[in-house]
Amino acid sequence: MNIAEIKKRLAAFAEARNWDQFHSPKNLSMGLAAEAAELLEIFQWLTEKESVEIVGNEQEMGHVKEEIADVFIYLVRLSDKLDVDIEKAVFKKIELNEMRYPVELSKGDATKYSKRRRVDDVVASKKQKKGGHN
Amino acid sequence: MNIAEIKKRLAAFAEARNWDQFHSPKNLSMGLAAEAAELLEIFQWLTEKESVEIVGNEQEMGHVKEEIADVFIYLVRLSDKLDVDIEKAVFKKIELNEMRYPVELSKGDATKYSKRRRVDDVVASKKQKKGGHN
Amino acid sequence: MNIAEIKKRLAAFAEARNWDQFHSPKNLSMGLAAEAAELLEIFQWLTEKESVEIVGNEQEMGHVKEEIADVFIYLVRLSDKLDVDIEKAVFKKIELNEMRYPVELSKGDATKYSKRRRVDDVVASKKQKKGGHN
Amino acid sequence: MNIAEIKKRLAAFAEARNWDQFHSPKNLSMGLAAEAAELLEIFQWLTEKESVEIVGNEQEMGHVKEEIADVFIYLVRLSDKLDVDIEKAVFKKIELNEMRYPVELSKGDATKYSKRRRVDDVVASKKQKKGGHN
């Protein structure tokens, strides 16, 4: 994906319309949250199964694609304004997640409320069992 | 940006931990909205000016980058599950926006409440002035 | 519920700490959205059935109650700042919804994607069938 | 405010239309987040000052009131489904906040990034200065 190209198109779009003045990171973060919620709304009344099957409904998928695009547009615009390298940040976060959620501790974890048992929580709970102080 | 690589890493991460069962598009849309709100929260008490200046604060920028990554991770995972080509959807939406908000109508628009005057709204308002019916 | 009492407590809380300066409606709307997403996050990995059963889990319910309170606190603070009578606005909206979604049209509507068929959509679709123009 | 009356109206509304089946807490939390974002969107391009002045614009205030109502409707419906006493939860949270943010520590705090210095953070930072271990 050519992020640089997308950044250029979005910057040109804003400048041509004299809208750059409204593109503070604060406002862009609001736009991003608003679009993420429009995407959320598509799935609001669907069951999880229906949400999987949505891929077979062309009209709904058109709507889904538009909202995914809107979220990404705000993310790129915000990253451009704050000089954030999205790809670099993503791989860094994936590595952090791989470290935080070791396979051995996460696999087969059926706890409803802690789908994501963090390694630090497990370490802490081991300390407690030993009678150690936190 | 190598989206295919990111998709693979995220799919492997979920499968290794047996978490794929939780990754319905419905649930992923919830995760995306939740992370977008965590990004929003960073700017909540900042003025627009302070939000621009945040780029000079290393600690806060670390937090910003992590949340941007989280939003993008959910967006890629959801797009993978629904077979959406993000880049294609984005350029399609940019073109639609360029058509909806022609420069001539948008430039210098100082209306507080309609920063984004849509061409269709302008056409409609012209009809009204002519005494036409909507 | 004594909304006036809650408004007073929240106003006093903000003024005592000199935080009123941060309570613009813009910022308060951000806080409200952020807290709504924290509530959303509790249900993110639960199935709909598990979300119904959460009422039997004391620890999780403690978390749910806290987030419900946070959302309501921001809603009341925002309503106070903008002089909105929440109760009046709610009954007005309920009446509007009862008008928009007549029982005869809504009952038994099994369409996955339009759980909420609006009377105006139905009228429009009837026009189309007649070959009318929209 | 008569919350019991609102709960009854909303329950009757859902049951009459056979929509109760869609009102799992999971789905209701999605609706709440979606409406909170619609409220957020009204303020997205406004400055903080313009957001204060919005109270003088009748048309915009009509929109604000409708979204405030929508958020509260979902909050009440969710609280009804999970048997949560909103008023009780709110006063409990206000007391917790008053304890977490003592006036002495919070007043005049001009730190951009920690508008809300928590008493536990202050205690922790005091420990660090003493050279203690966390």
Side-chain angles (χ1 to χ4, degrees), chain B residues 26-27 29-30 33 40 42 44-48 50 53-55 57 60 112-113 115-116, chain D residues 26-27 29-30 33 40 42 44-48 50 53-55 57 60 112-113 115-116:
Chain B
K26 185 180 176 88
N27 291 359
S29 76
M30 291 176 83
L40 179 79
I42 298 174
Q44 186 180 333
W45 302 121
L46 306 188
T47 60
E48 284 190 65
E50 286 168 344
E53 293 164 355
I54 202 175
V55 73
N57 183 309
E60 288 298 314
K112 283 178 269 183
Y113 304 113
K115 297 282 186 283
R116 299 162 45 127
Chain D
K26 185 179 175 90
N27 291 358
S29 76
M30 292 176 81
L40 179 80
I42 298 173
Q44 186 181 332
W45 303 121
L46 306 188
T47 60
E48 285 190 65
E50 286 168 343
E53 293 164 355
I54 202 176
V55 74
N57 182 308
E60 287 299 312
K112 283 179 269 181
Y113 304 112
K115 297 282 185 286
R116 302 163 42 128

Side-chain angles (χ1 to χ4, degrees), chain A residues 1 17 22 26 46 101, chain B residues 1 17 26 46 101 115:
Chain A
M1 180 188 289
R17 292 154 184 74
F22 304 117
K26 185 179 175 90
L46 306 188
Y101 305 105
Chain B
M1 182 187 291
R17 293 156 185 73
K26 185 180 176 88
L46 306 188
Y101 304 104
K115 297 282 186 283

Side-chain angles (χ1 to χ4, degrees), chain C residues 4 20 36 76 81 86 99 104 110-111:
Chain C
D20 194 66
V76 171
K81 286 289 183 174
I86 301 179
M99 196 187 73
E104 325 76 62
T111 331

Side-chain angles (χ1 to χ4, degrees), chain A residues 69-134:
Chain A
D70 283 339
V71 170
F72 192 58
I73 281 168
Y74 272 106
L75 196 68
V76 171
R77 189 74 182 127
L78 178 65
S79 301
D80 191 18
K81 286 288 182 176
L82 294 177
D83 197 32
V84 171
D85 180 333
I86 302 179
E87 189 170 23
K88 192 171 158 191
V90 166
F91 279 111
K92 188 175 176 183
K93 186 62 197 261
I94 291 177
E95 276 154 33
L96 181 65
N97 283 342
E98 286 166 353
M99 195 186 73
R100 271 186 185 161
Y101 305 105
V103 173
E104 326 75 61
L105 292 175
S106 314
K107 195 161 180 162
D109 192 321
T111 332
K112 283 179 269 181
Y113 305 113
S114 39
K115 297 286 185 279
R116 301 162 43 129
R117 288 185 69 200
R118 290 177 57 147
V119 63
D120 31 1
D121 295 331
V122 173
V123 167
S125 74
K126 285 199 165 131
K127 269 195 182 159
Q128 275 189 315
K129 286 177 184 165
K130 280 190 189 170
H133 50 100
N134 282 27

